[in-house]
Amino acid sequence: MRVFITGASGFIGSAVVPLLLAEGHHVLALARSDASAAKLAAAGVEVLRGDLADPASLGAGAAASDGVVHLAFNHDFSQFADSAQTEYAAVEAYGEALAGTGKPLLMASGVLGIAPGRIATEQDGLDLSASPRSRSMQLALELADRGVRSALLRLAPCVHDRTRAGFASVLAQIARETGVSGYLGEGTAHWPAVHVRDTADLVVRALDRAPAGAVLHAVAEQGITQRAVAEALADRLGIPLRSIPADQAASHFRWLAPMLALDSRADNTLTRETYGWEPVHPTLLDDLREGEHAAPGGH
Ligand SMILES: NC(=O)c1ccc[n+]([C@@H]2O[C@H](COP(=O)([O-])OP(=O)(O)OC[C@H]3O[C@@H](n4cnc5c(N)ncnc54)[C@H](OP(=O)(O)O)[C@@H]3O)[C@@H](O)[C@H]2O)c1
């Protein structure tokens, strides 16, 4: 299959590309800069110069391919609403290019905030008030009615290896800066997690087999308490562990504070059974105890 991929130069995309190539796919990757183009060319893929903010470039990539994997996102959270709007325009461009073709469109999104207070499953629908990104995800699923094999890959908020771990990396950065490894209140809120290489494996399976309108959970661990995350970071960094009271959360955790307030657990039974997916790589706490975690750019 000739696969158009955005975000191929990012954390997850860098794990997906080698698997796509190993499966015999031809990969066409979006690059917005000379540096990303050079990195992608070195990885052995064909490069399409363009930008998320240029929907025509996305439409051209989709039209020239047999399927699309959309991973690109601007993770500067100070521009979150604008980035979500850009993502919506990207999905519109894919819709125009792919309508009536039956080709796959796999969109990355997240499980955080779905079904608060209980364990989210793949059958839980979108809550449009939960995130500005939800509208894009709804639009992507609606493309199933227009002849696109569109599917959502809802990722754990901590996609990890020994260098990056999503929101847990941001906690690591705050811990380094403040000299204490903090958790909010009792630290009993949970975040799900998944290893980046297990995630990449699921991307390739979903591209191949996910039916139109499918929702998959890229979740290996249902939920790890934030206290356990902070303990692992305290051990790794050799700094004290400390509970941060709610009235100090905004000053200590800054933009991450609302994410810490979300108690989120997610199940993967349907995804494992349907796609024969079995996560095999290390756990979040293992990677935090043994790695050197840096927050992603823009965080
Ligand atoms: N990592 C996690 O823990 C996690 C958790 C839940 C959900 N997700 C979702 O999974 C997807 C991939 O995440 P990631 O961690 O791999 O992201 P990442 O490492 O931050 O990479 C972002 C990618 O998007 C590209 N990009 C950003 N702005 C762009 C623009 N204007 N035009 C073209 N490309 C642009 C970047 O290109 P450059 O290399 O040129 O900058 C890069 O390839 C995202 O939708 C993310 O929200 C990730």
Side-chain angles (χ1 to χ4, degrees):
M1 192 189 289
R2 183 176 161 90
V3 181
F4 177 53
I5 178 168
T6 69
S9 54
F11 177 52
I12 297 169
S14 297
V16 169
V17 164
L19 287 194
L20 288 172
L21 294 173
E23 289 289 311
H25 296 297
H26 179 96
V27 178
L28 175 65
L30 185 80
R32 61 169 164 167
S33 68
D34 290 345
S36 292
K39 177 179 173 180
L40 291 166
V45 307
E46 185 185 352
V47 173
L48 177 71
R49 291 302 295 260
D51 198 292
L52 278 183
D54 172 16
S57 64
L58 306 178
S65 303
D66 304 309
V68 176
V69 176
H70 181 80
L71 299 174
F73 192 74
N74 174 9
H75 287 117
D76 176 352
F77 281 76
S78 67
Q79 298 177 28
F80 194 50
D82 285 349
S83 301
Q85 186 55 42
T86 300
E87 187 167 62
Y88 189 86
V91 181
E92 287 182 316
Y94 295 141
E96 280 173 32
L98 300 177
T101 64
K103 293 178 185 175
L105 166 63
L106 187 64
M107 293 285 301
S109 72
V111 292
L112 201 63
I114 294 168
R118 63 179 175 80
I119 299 172
T121 76
E122 294 88 338
Q123 283 159 324
D124 281 305
L126 289 167
D127 175 357
L128 288 182
S129 65
S131 162
R133 294 182 75 178
S134 300
R135 282 178 63 240
S136 310
M137 302 311 151
Q138 184 186 43
L139 181 62
L141 287 182
E142 286 168 1
L143 291 178
D145 298 328
R146 291 173 49 201
V148 182
R149 186 158 65 81
S150 57
L152 293 189
L153 188 67
R154 295 203 298 221
L155 296 141
C158 300
V159 180
H160 59 92
D161 65 6
R162 290 192 180 182
T163 66
R164 291 258 306 259
F167 288 157
S169 287
V170 185
L171 271 186
Q173 182 178 309
I174 294 168
R176 267 191 232 103
E177 287 168 10
T178 60
V180 296
S181 182
Y183 57 89
L184 178 62
E186 301 292 312
T188 50
H190 298 80
W191 282 340
V194 63
H195 196 279
V196 69
R197 279 188 277 160
D198 289 318
T199 305
D201 177 35
L202 185 57
V203 167
V204 175
R205 287 168 191 264
L207 184 70
D208 191 35
R209 302 184 222 162
V215 174
L216 296 83
H217 277 185
V219 168
E221 299 181 86
Q222 259 188 14
I224 299 106
T225 66
Q226 290 164 18
R227 182 176 167 125
V229 169
E231 278 173 353
L233 292 172
D235 287 350
R236 181 71 182 111
L237 298 171
I239 57 176
L241 177 70
R242 185 175 302 162
S243 166
I244 306 295
D247 63 356
Q248 293 172 24
S251 61
H252 188 87
F253 297 114
R254 303 189 297 269
W255 66 263
L256 191 66
M259 314 301 173
L260 288 158
L262 291 171
D263 182 23
S264 181
R265 285 174 294 159
D267 189 51
N268 64 10
T269 307
L270 199 59
T271 301
R272 284 192 293 108
E273 289 179 357
T274 309
Y275 301 96
W277 178 64
E278 285 301 335
V280 294
H281 290 291
T283 65
L284 173 64
L285 295 183
D286 284 346
D287 272 344
L288 291 179
R289 287 193 195 100
E290 291 172 28
E292 294 292 338
H293 286 85
H299 284 179

